[in-house]
Amino acid sequence: MTIKVNLLPTERKRFTFDPLVAVLFVLVCAALVGCVMHGSNLQSKVDERLAKIAQLEEEIKKTEQSLPIINEIKSQIARLEGEIKIVTNLKYDPVRYANLLTEVGKVLPNNVWLTNLSVEPSTTTVTMSGVAAHRPGKAPLATIAEFMQNMDKSEIFTEASLASTAKTQVENTGTGFTFQIEATYDPDEAAGIAEDKPEKAESKEASADQES
């Protein structure tokens, strides 16, 4: 048996240019470049926001450090305002109490006398105790009701309420009634520093028109 061997060199295949491969290569390169640029843009935005966060955190730290100072300043302002109010009240107290006593004399019926009068500035309340005596045509209980109505009509006193009442014997006049009335008062009105309220201003104008 004979074996034949071809010792002649084989012909090499020639390299051919494939357009599809070139297109794919260009697309891949373009995609890589796009990804790199997009990633760089995103990183820039991330860095910008991280810098903004750091700035805000620094501002928060500064603000937190300033809070005790701000609170102390607010406390000082509140104390000063309280002292101003106290000084102002002390300034007007003589006039205020004089006007209160004058107003009591105006609203007090002539068959009533007071046995006790107390004023509490912190709650702007006044408590009056006394006796309503019987007079011809003026019953004691009706007199007490008239007293409370006079207080309600007053520009200084408001919210008059009857705390207690009891029958008693009055010398030379017979039967009478003791009473205790509680009311509030307007400290500015009593001091003469309150501004005219709209309804009061209108009533004053109406009375002036009637007089003219």
Side-chain angles (χ1 to χ4, degrees), residues 108-115 129-135 138-147 162 164-171 173-181:
L108 195 67
N110 55 15
N111 59 324
V112 172
W113 68 86
L114 298 179
T115 57
S129 302
V131 179
H134 179 78
R135 293 284 175 85
K138 298 191 72 173
L141 291 178
T143 300
I144 295 173
E146 177 189 352
F147 185 22
L162 183 62
S164 63
T165 183
K167 190 174 182 180
T168 187
Q169 200 69 23
V170 180
E171 186 178 356
T173 60
T175 303
F177 277 85
T178 61
F179 64 86
Q180 179 174 312
I181 294 176

Side-chain angles (χ1 to χ4, degrees), residues 30-199:
L32 288 174
V33 172
C35 290
V36 171
M37 293 180 63
H38 184 63
S40 177
N41 187 31
L42 291 177
Q43 186 62 41
S44 298
K45 291 182 178 180
V46 170
D47 293 340
E48 180 182 349
R49 281 159 177 73
L50 289 175
K52 185 65 176 178
I53 291 173
Q55 180 183 355
L56 292 175
E57 289 178 346
E58 186 66 24
E59 291 179 359
I60 290 172
K61 290 180 181 179
K62 291 180 180 179
T63 303
E64 289 176 347
Q65 293 174 357
S66 301
L67 281 178
I69 300 175
I70 294 173
N71 292 333
E72 178 62 24
I73 292 174
K74 288 182 178 179
S75 300
Q76 291 179 6
I77 292 174
R79 286 196 297 269
L80 290 173
E81 288 177 345
E83 293 174 1
I84 290 172
K85 187 175 181 180
I86 292 174
V87 173
T88 302
N89 287 334
L90 291 174
K91 175 183 177 182
Y92 289 103
D93 271 353
V95 177
R96 180 178 291 113
Y97 295 130
N99 288 339
L100 279 175
L101 293 176
T102 301
E103 191 70 11
V104 169
K106 291 180 181 178
V107 300
L108 195 67
N110 55 15
N111 59 324
V112 172
W113 68 86
L114 298 179
T115 57
N116 183 62
L117 172 64
S118 62
V119 178
E120 182 53 55
S122 61
T123 57
T124 64
T125 57
V126 57
T127 303
M128 288 175 280
S129 302
V131 179
H134 179 78
R135 293 284 175 85
K138 298 191 72 173
L141 291 178
T143 300
I144 295 173
E146 177 189 352
F147 185 22
M148 295 178 64
Q149 289 176 356
N150 292 343
M151 294 185 70
D152 288 335
K153 293 177 183 178
S154 168
E155 293 185 348
I156 295 179
F157 296 113
T158 58
E159 301 178 3
S161 60
L162 183 62
S164 63
T165 183
K167 190 174 182 180
T168 187
Q169 200 69 23
V170 180
E171 186 178 356
N172 300 328
T173 60
T175 303
F177 277 85
T178 61
F179 64 86
Q180 179 174 312
I181 294 176
E182 298 176 354
T184 60
Y185 66 91
D186 187 333
D188 293 339
E189 194 73 46
I193 59 175
E195 296 181 358
D196 287 340
K197 297 179 180 178
E199 60 272 14

